[in-house]
Amino acid sequence: MNHVKTGVKPHSQVLGLVQVALFAALIIILAFTPFLGYIPLGFTRATIIHIPVIIGALLLGPKKGAILGFVFGMTSLINNTMNPTVTSFVFSPFYELGEIHGGIGSIIICFLPRILVGVIPYYVYRFLKEKCQISMSISLGAAGLAGSLTNTLLVMNLIFVFFRDAYAAANNVAAEAVYGFILSIIGINGVPEAIVAAIITAFVGRALLKSKLVIG
């Protein structure tokens, strides 16, 4: 007798979708709560939104992590279009500052680094934990650090590649000095973000990985 397929997904698959939805909801809440997910600093925005992307990648795997990274990128695009700063053109092709405007480079900057934030930490953790036999807490912390630096370093260097002169003009910096300015942002903004991400990922990730609610 032939069995009719009901279309009901296995429990683990449904649980995985629910977990992705929960992490995506957390990202959206952080992104659109004023001064929480995106903290305006004038010349840029500090963020903690990469942290749920990193933890989501570690718990759910790189494919779902990439989806969460895409959600992160989408919130950045929306925020920089609807609530812009002077440099929002680097994240949104829909925002203009005088003669300066975004373009295809804005889309790449907005999405590529954020998607990789949902991929790289997973492999960093697996490599350190399984291949190098390093403790879970240290491996998680290193994954958090790597995820945060992936976002900061790729975003800032892609800004230099696509918008060097426009970014310099928007920040009243000489074109030849713009990379030094970018390095200062990485140091002042990116390094503290990475340290915070490492600490939170180590503590929260360890607790969740030990929970039976998490699937691989």
Side-chain angles (χ1 to χ4, degrees):
M1 180 177 178
N2 293 328
H3 294 281
V4 178
K5 293 183 179 180
T6 61
V8 177
K9 296 182 178 180
H11 174 72
S12 62
Q13 211 170 354
V14 174
L15 178 59
L17 292 174
V18 171
Q19 289 171 324
V20 170
L22 288 173
F23 275 102
L26 177 58
I27 291 166
I28 292 168
I29 290 169
L30 287 174
F32 297 108
T33 301
F35 305 104
L36 182 58
Y38 291 108
I39 305 167
L41 301 177
F43 53 86
T44 187
R45 281 187 170 102
T47 184
I48 59 170
I49 301 178
H50 55 286
I51 296 175
V53 177
I54 293 167
I55 295 174
L58 293 170
L59 303 183
L60 307 176
K63 291 182 180 179
K64 293 183 177 71
I67 293 172
L68 296 175
F70 180 85
V71 174
F72 176 16
M74 183 60 68
T75 66
S76 179
L77 176 64
I78 294 171
N79 253 315
N80 282 282
T81 302
M82 305 302 294
N83 184 30
T85 66
V86 294
T87 57
S88 285
F89 61 89
V90 304
F91 297 108
S92 172
F94 309 112
Y95 174 70
E96 297 182 2
L97 180 67
E99 296 182 356
I100 301 172
H101 56 83
I104 187 62
S106 309
I107 298 295
I108 294 172
I109 293 169
C110 202
F111 286 99
L112 179 61
R114 281 63 188 272
I115 291 172
L116 290 177
V117 168
V119 176
I120 290 175
Y122 175 86
Y123 291 106
V124 170
Y125 172 74
R126 294 296 178 189
F127 176 77
L128 294 177
K129 182 70 169 57
E130 298 176 2
K131 302 296 184 182
C132 301
Q133 301 297 308
I134 295 175
S135 71
M136 176 184 286
S137 295
I138 293 175
S139 298
L140 286 169
L145 189 76
S148 183
L149 289 177
T150 294
N151 181 53
T152 300
L153 294 178
L154 276 179
V155 165
M156 298 312 297
N157 280 282
L158 287 172
I159 287 173
F160 182 78
V161 170
F162 288 108
F163 296 106
R164 175 183 174 180
D165 294 337
Y167 192 73
N171 287 286
N172 296 313
V173 176
E176 60 272 15
V178 68
Y179 198 71
F181 180 72
I182 286 173
L183 289 176
S184 70
I185 294 175
I186 292 172
I188 295 170
N189 188 25
V191 172
E193 281 183 358
I195 293 171
V196 170
I199 294 170
I200 294 177
T201 301
F203 282 97
V204 176
R206 181 181 178 85
L208 292 176
L209 281 171
K210 287 182 173 293
S211 169
K212 292 182 180 180
L213 294 176
V214 174
I215 62 174

